Amino acid sequence: MTSPIIKPRIYAVGAIDWDRLLFDEIIPLPDGTSYNSYLIKGLEKTALIDTVDPTKERELVNNLQKLDVKIDYIISNHAEQDHSGSIGKILELYPDAKVVTSPKCKDMLKDLLLISEDRFHTVIDGEVLSLGDKTLKFIYTPWVHWPETMVTYLEEEKILFSCDFFGSHLASSDLFVMDETYVYRAAKRYYAEIMMPFRKIIQVNMEKIKDLDIEIVAPSHGPIYKNPRLIFDAYRDWISEDTKNEVIIPYISMHGTTRTMVEHLINALITKGVKVRPFNLSKTDIGELAMALVDASTIVIASPTVLTGPHPNAVYAAYLTNVLRPKLKFASVIGSYGWGGRMFEQITGLLNNLNVKIIDPVIIKGFPKGDDFKKLDKLADEIVNKHKDQNIIKNS
Ligand code: FEO
């Protein structure tokens, strides 16, 4: 089979990883992923845009050999090894090829892949490179996903090669997005896990590319967008300051006490018209939790006391939420203890990256009783009032 054709003389030559279950040894990949690499044959020069994870190097090489090309440039948009890890092999096969990248990415590639200085050609932000009848423009877009990331715009064909930016961890036989709902969900999960910590700088990067005339977005993970509005509108929504009338409750319960509190709070919030997403931390997929954090206004972390502090899974959820930096506006803690502990201080102390107001916790002794349930009702009232004050609940 020859490589799929995106447009005349523009080919997808990457690899689909149907079986990969984890990324960075932490992020679950329920739908696998792909490492997209693209070949552009100009009338004078040929460029390869990004490569593939080293585990899929053979597939990339096979795809290139079928096309019978000589590669002049390897464009490296991002130094992470799932895109750069096969550059060494391509340089070996094409001894005259140069790696075209930013100075920052060059330094990282030298450190990570031990590529020698003489194999690089560096480009500045906004610089163009002619392939004859096709022109590549390089635009620095830092922190989507690392500090060196850039995107490459093919001017004549109006294609944005965006690497991680706008990607999705999705192994699919569809070269292009066919099922927009399915891809939207995968892209949202990807945004939540990979991009959300950089929400503010993504706002700047979106501004930077907004005047480009883009007909196709070709990321380096997941299907290609022929309708870029789908992913651009989604990103504008996710990176905006707006949150939804939603409360996320990551919880864990050893003997049912915390669960009873969580169930009461869930019902109280539902009764008041708030959407609630509980996540049982003994079995939850952290990608699902991350995705829920994209839109939520409030998080309530629920935990029993273990020794003198929160359950370690609750600590993990708090730490993860903190590093993902969602646009949450409020946070609180509920849970119980037997003889003491400092659960509230320890959990809220882990949320220092977040710009949240802390709502008074409900930490009770033993199994909840009448007054304890009233405190949970009061917490639900307070959440609703704060959502109203912030105009999160409109016209209610
Ligand atoms: Fe897909 Fe940041 O690498």
Side-chain angles (χ1 to χ4, degrees):
M1 199 174 88
T2 53
S3 292
I5 298 170
I6 297 166
K7 284 202 172 189
R9 292 186 284 123
I10 303 172
Y11 307 89
V13 291
I16 301 171
D17 198 338
W18 302 96
D19 294 329
R20 188 153 180 180
L21 299 172
L22 268 186
F23 206 85
D24 291 345
E25 299 305 319
I26 180 171
I27 299 167
L29 300 181
D31 304 305
T33 191
S34 66
Y35 318 109
N36 303 344
S37 173
Y38 301 99
L39 187 88
I40 304 170
K41 285 172 86 169
L43 287 180
E44 293 173 12
K45 301 283 185 186
T46 295
L48 180 69
I49 302 209
D50 293 316
T51 65
V52 299
D53 191 86
T55 56
K56 295 289 178 183
E57 183 179 278
R58 175 93 326 249
E59 284 184 43
L60 171 64
V61 170
N62 286 343
N63 290 336
L64 293 174
Q65 284 173 347
K66 281 179 211 154
L67 288 169
D68 191 24
V69 288
K70 173 182 168 292
I71 290 173
D72 300 290
Y73 304 118
I74 304 160
I75 315 300
S76 181
N77 284 319
H78 178 22
E80 194 166 12
Q81 290 89 333
D82 52 325
H83 310 293
S84 70
S86 301
I87 289 179
K89 183 67 183 176
I90 302 302
L91 288 174
E92 189 186 310
L93 293 174
Y94 302 91
D96 296 328
K98 293 276 186 196
V99 180
V100 177
T101 193
S102 67
K104 193 175 277 185
C105 189
K106 179 185 85 168
D107 288 345
M108 295 172 90
L109 292 172
K110 284 166 69 179
D111 288 342
L112 295 171
L113 302 174
L114 311 180
I115 298 172
S116 62
E117 176 77 31
D118 63 319
R119 301 306 303 266
F120 287 98
H121 170 80
T122 57
V123 289
I124 61 169
D125 189 18
E127 191 168 335
V128 295
L129 178 71
S130 175
L131 305 179
D133 60 330
K134 298 186 189 300
T135 313
L136 299 175
K137 182 172 188 174
F138 308 105
I139 301 157
Y140 289 9
T141 49
W143 295 108
V144 289
H145 158 222
W146 285 0
E148 86 298 1
T149 43
M150 68 176 193
V151 295
T152 299
Y153 178 61
L154 177 54
E155 292 182 340
E156 291 77 7
E157 312 288 351
K158 301 177 181 173
I159 301 176
L160 185 73
F161 297 96
S162 58
C163 202
D164 278 351
F165 203 10
F166 308 123
S168 59
H169 281 312
L170 190 55
S172 169
S173 54
D174 294 333
L175 178 62
F176 297 99
V177 173
M178 304 302 283
D179 181 341
E180 291 196 342
T181 307
Y182 183 51
V183 176
Y184 174 94
R185 188 177 157 74
K188 185 173 185 180
R189 185 184 179 100
Y190 185 92
Y191 167 82
E193 295 167 338
I194 312 280
M195 297 289 163
M196 188 156 61
F198 313 112
R199 186 172 65 89
K200 293 282 185 188
I201 198 156
I202 291 174
Q203 291 172 355
V204 176
N205 286 329
M206 291 288 285
E207 272 301 299
K208 205 166 171 186
I209 63 167
K210 84 171 187 327
D211 293 329
L212 293 177
D213 185 5
I214 298 168
E215 289 183 356
I216 291 177
V217 174
S220 290
H221 297 290
I224 298 169
Y225 301 88
K226 272 188 175 169
N227 169 21
R229 267 195 69 176
L230 171 73
I231 195 67
F232 290 160
D233 286 351
Y235 263 69
R236 279 189 207 104
D237 177 29
W238 300 333
I239 64 175
S240 77
E241 301 304 326
D242 297 339
T243 56
K244 296 196 167 73
N245 183 27
E246 293 178 13
V247 175
I248 303 304
I249 310 181
Y251 75 95
I252 189 149
S253 186
M254 296 189 296
H255 302 291
T257 303
T258 305
R259 183 193 307 277
T260 302
M261 296 178 73
V262 167
E263 285 169 357
H264 189 88
L265 181 62
I266 290 171
N267 289 333
L269 288 166
I270 290 174
T271 305
K272 294 171 201 306
V274 180
K275 182 174 174 182
V276 190
R277 297 284 309 277
F279 290 90
N280 182 340
L281 296 169
S282 68
K283 58 187 176 190
T284 201
D285 169 344
I286 59 164
E288 292 288 325
L289 172 60
M291 203 168 13
L293 288 168
V294 171
D295 302 315
S297 297
T298 299
I299 187 168
V300 178
I301 297 177
S303 173
T305 303
V306 177
L307 302 173
T308 58
H311 190 288
N313 289 26
V315 171
Y316 178 55
Y319 178 82
L320 184 72
T321 302
N322 194 52
V323 295
L324 290 176
R325 296 175 183 255
K327 54 188 175 186
L328 288 164
K329 296 190 174 5
F330 306 102
S332 192
V333 177
I334 65 172
S336 73
Y337 63 93
W339 50 89
R342 299 178 64 246
M343 180 162 61
F344 171 65
E345 293 81 357
Q346 288 176 330
I347 289 177
T348 53
L350 289 168
L351 301 179
N352 58 318
N353 281 344
L354 306 184
N355 188 20
V356 289
K357 291 193 177 69
I358 303 293
I359 303 175
D360 285 345
V362 179
I363 311 285
I364 65 161
K365 189 167 192 299
F367 199 81
K369 300 160 274 294
D371 275 355
D372 300 324
F373 290 118
K374 284 185 189 152
K375 286 178 191 164
L376 290 167
D377 290 335
K378 190 162 163 274
L379 174 59
D381 283 337
E382 192 152 359
I383 290 169
V384 170
N385 289 336
K386 292 211 179 292
H387 285 198
K388 282 182 183 167
D389 290 348
Q390 293 278 320
N391 217 20
I392 296 163
I393 303 177
K394 296 184 181 71
N395 309 317
S396 53

